[in-house]
Amino acid sequence: QVQLVESGGGLVQAGGSLRLSCAASGRTFSSYPMAWFRQAPGKEREFVSRITRTGVLTYYADSVKGRFTISRDNAKNTVYLQMNSLKPEDTAIYYCAADTYFRGGYSTTSDYWGQGTQVTVSS
């Protein structure tokens, strides 16, 4: 089992940037494909991005492609989400997630979840 703790959320103006971090417990972090999801008020949770175990392959939702970058540091048991050119519609709680197996780059589910971090983008 893995425990995930997100950080880095906050309030930012439209056009600004934030970097989310997700620290994972355990010694098998490198065995998990990792993902970010988000949930806006009144909306269902949606896939944002995923990265494979080694970080060679990355996947993005169309709504964030070209603006967000996912990365990971297996030595630090951490996955990141660099968010640039933020828009008010990016406002949501962002969740880090770990997959026990690779179920596809755009899978809308995962196995282990963090508690989430709030991102608010003002116009």
Side-chain angles (χ1 to χ4, degrees):
Q1 191 167 349
V2 61
Q3 293 183 326
L4 306 170
V5 179
E6 302 96 334
S7 61
L11 174 64
V12 63
Q13 289 188 333
S17 298
L18 281 174
R19 188 195 196 200
L20 305 184
S21 298
C22 172
S25 66
R27 294 177 289 180
T28 59
F29 174 75
S30 61
S31 68
Y32 296 104
M34 298 294 295
W36 288 94
F37 293 79
R38 67 186 182 186
Q39 187 167 19
K43 295 188 177 181
E44 294 187 352
R45 184 181 64 202
E46 65 174 356
F47 165 78
V48 174
S49 183
R50 178 172 272 105
I51 188 167
T52 52
R53 296 177 180 88
T54 60
V56 170
L57 296 177
T58 57
Y59 306 84
Y60 298 94
D62 287 343
S63 58
V64 306
K65 197 172 297 183
R67 300 187 297 122
F68 290 11
T69 302
I70 191 171
S71 61
R72 67 189 296 162
D73 186 337
N74 287 342
K76 296 183 178 180
N77 283 12
T78 302
V79 62
Y80 305 97
L81 186 68
Q82 178 66 44
M83 306 186 294
N84 298 330
S85 302
L86 283 162
K87 305 175 181 179
E89 50 264 43
D90 294 319
T91 295
I93 298 174
Y94 283 71
Y95 297 91
C96 173
D99 303 335
T100 54
Y101 64 97
F102 185 67
R103 44 166 60 85
Y106 301 99
S107 174
T108 57
T109 189
S110 189
D111 299 296
Y112 298 109
W113 299 86
Q115 84 289 348
T117 186
Q118 176 70 48
V119 171
T120 303
V121 184
S122 63
S123 57

